[in-house]
Amino acid sequence: SIVDRFDREGRITSKPRGGDKKSILNEQHKNFLEEAIEQEPWITIADLIQELVDQFPNLQLSDRTVARYIRNMGFTLKRLTVVPEGRNSDDTIQKRKQYVERIYNENINIYSDMVYIDETGFNLHLSTLRGRARHGQPAIRKVVNNRRKNISVIAAINEDGVLHYKSILGSVNEEILTTFINELNDIIPSGKFLVMDNVRFHRTDVIKEAIENTIHEIFYLPPYSPFLNPIENCFSKVKNSVARIHLRNRETILGRINDAFNIVTEEDCKGWIRHTSSYFQPILGVYYFNNKYDNVGNENELVAEIAASIFRAAALSGASTRIHEVLELCDRIEQDYVGKGLLRAADLDVKDQKTVDEFLLKLDNIPNKSNLGANAIPGISFGVTKAGATKKPILLEVKNLMFFLYPFSIIKIGSEVYHSLKSVIKSKYDQDATNVSDEGDFAPNIQDNKECFKLLKDAIKKLVLTIKIEGEY
């Protein structure tokens, strides 16, 4: 008892159990197991043991030992998800990228310029997957023996909600889709991009001709990409609503389908479209998030994610909008960040800063930068600069009479050169030349570009640093 233990040993707690028993499996075994499981997630414990013994002949293992070890490694047994082999092939990934790039390059508004079309099926066996029953008894739902044709629904949505839908006995075919497109053309007054997946009967000459005869244009989704069509979310809501009611006959299911489509709102559709756009950034491979604000509350940070590394750079948002100033550009999608969202992106080689900047300037060669936007261009450029900082030495670059010192690898150099430059300018041009504006630059009264290079060299020499400045000056 506790009393006897206290009288005998002066303690009331139990002795610690177990001991420092060393695991049979070490780091080498762990790496082998990780690779085996990642290559074949369906592999059994028995097969894992066999492969371990084949690779490490002196091991003696039990099922429990290996099962406990891989559980401690973070692997759990779960239901397998079957994925088509081509879903994430290089060709599919490239086609997804081309799809998103076309949206950006043609400045397509995914809310107002696109109409999303697809088909889905219903039958009398449609039901929820869970039910209630007494303890120890199964939850049973009786269904009608139905050997007749299922019901198909073809529908179209955009930011205004469900534009049109039809219920058809059997499957949707070329003729039904053509009729649907003609009916949709009467409903939509202005030209839109009709977004559809690339199943075979969507791509026939008859369908293409039917759309060409309307005021609309066809826009095919990339293969294996249902997540890029927001109407899939619409069908999910409709089916969940239909499944809640016991379907006794075809009239019941038709009525439930109509009721379910009637509860789909404009806000639902806008939310589904917004969710679809969240895939655009990963598809392009360069991510931009709107999560930093300047002193006037405007978003000004672009984040470039390249090869699983994140590099951030902020481009200040200016409040002045005089006629000769460059133009800041936002997405102008009122539903996202009150029209101030920044989703423009460029997928470029971060090791080639000059090519990146030339590419940006070529994309927006308009004097006031109203194509990409003056807030987006430097943000992308600076983000790429940081991304390449681990690979290249210090670099000086000139852009449109503005001089940028890029301190690759050691950011400390940039800070020190900045303060040294302030001292050099102040001694040569007096205090007024070092009054820093909101953008953080200096404005000495120089007579030519060569003087800028000399100032930078003097500032660097003052710090006992060396820098290679390429080009004539």
Side-chain angles (χ1 to χ4, degrees), residues 120 122 150-155 164-170 172 176 180 253-258 261:
T120 190
F122 293 81
N150 293 330
I151 293 174
S152 296
V153 172
I154 180 171
H164 186 40
Y165 72 93
K166 290 183 70 173
S167 300
I168 302 106
L169 180 61
V172 177
I176 293 172
F180 182 85
I253 192 171
L254 286 172
R256 288 300 302 162
I257 290 172
N258 292 334
F261 270 106

Side-chain angles (χ1 to χ4, degrees), residues 2 7 106 116 143 159 193 223 236 273 292 336 358 361:
I2 295 177
D7 291 338
E106 297 185 19
Y116 304 90
V143 296
E159 65 171 351
F193 291 97
S236 179
I273 297 171
K292 185 175 180 180
D336 292 333
E358 288 177 347
L361 294 175

Side-chain angles (χ1 to χ4, degrees), residues 331-448:
D331 292 340
R332 299 190 299 276
I333 299 174
E334 291 298 324
Q335 297 89 341
D336 292 333
Y337 304 97
V338 200
K340 296 287 187 178
L342 304 172
L343 287 176
R344 298 289 194 271
D347 187 9
L348 302 163
D349 183 1
V350 298
K351 298 186 294 296
D352 192 347
Q353 181 72 43
K354 183 178 179 181
T355 299
V356 171
D357 291 334
E358 288 177 347
F359 174 80
L360 293 172
L361 294 175
K362 183 179 179 181
L363 283 179
D364 196 345
N365 55 9
I366 301 174
N368 72 345
K369 303 302 174 215
S370 59
N371 186 18
L372 292 180
N375 52 335
I377 294 173
I380 296 172
S381 178
F382 294 158
V384 171
T385 298
K386 290 184 178 182
T390 58
K391 299 295 183 183
K392 296 181 68 175
I394 194 165
L395 170 70
L396 184 69
E397 183 169 323
V398 183
K399 283 196 268 186
N400 298 333
L401 297 183
M402 296 183 69
F403 296 81
F404 298 89
L405 182 68
Y406 296 157
F408 292 101
S409 299
I410 307 174
I411 301 301
K412 180 172 177 287
I413 294 175
S415 175
E416 292 177 351
V417 171
Y418 176 85
H419 292 289
S420 177
L421 181 61
K422 181 176 182 179
S423 175
V424 170
I425 292 176
K426 183 177 179 181
S427 64
K428 188 171 182 179
Y429 296 93
D430 69 42
Q431 178 69 37
D432 291 340
T434 59
N435 289 334
V436 182
S437 69
D438 291 339
E439 285 74 27
D441 52 6
F442 301 116
N445 186 24
I446 62 174
Q447 302 304 312
D448 57 53

Side-chain angles (χ1 to χ4, degrees), residues 185-232:
N185 187 52
D186 296 333
I187 295 172
I188 305 174
S190 58
K192 306 288 183 183
F193 291 97
L194 304 185
V195 180
M196 297 188 293
D197 59 32
N198 62 349
V199 297
R200 184 172 300 175
F201 82 91
H202 285 178
R203 305 179 71 91
T204 63
D205 293 338
V206 174
I207 298 301
K208 291 179 180 178
E209 184 179 353
I211 295 177
E212 288 175 359
N213 292 333
T214 68
I215 57 175
H216 311 298
E217 181 178 343
I218 197 166
F219 201 134
Y220 287 117
L221 288 162
Y224 302 107
S225 305
F227 53 87
L228 292 177
N229 195 344
I231 201 170
E232 299 293 344

Side-chain angles (χ1 to χ4, degrees), residues 114-156:
M114 287 182 154
V115 173
Y116 304 90
I117 302 172
D118 204 1
E119 312 89 27
T120 190
F122 293 81
N123 59 51
L124 295 179
H125 295 172
L126 184 67
S127 67
T128 56
L129 299 179
R130 295 180 178 274
R132 291 182 175 82
R134 292 188 179 276
H135 182 70
Q137 297 180 0
I140 297 174
R141 180 176 185 176
K142 296 180 180 180
V143 296
V144 179
N145 291 329
N146 178 30
R147 295 184 178 273
R148 293 181 292 175
K149 292 182 179 180
N150 293 330
I151 293 174
S152 296
V153 172
I154 180 171

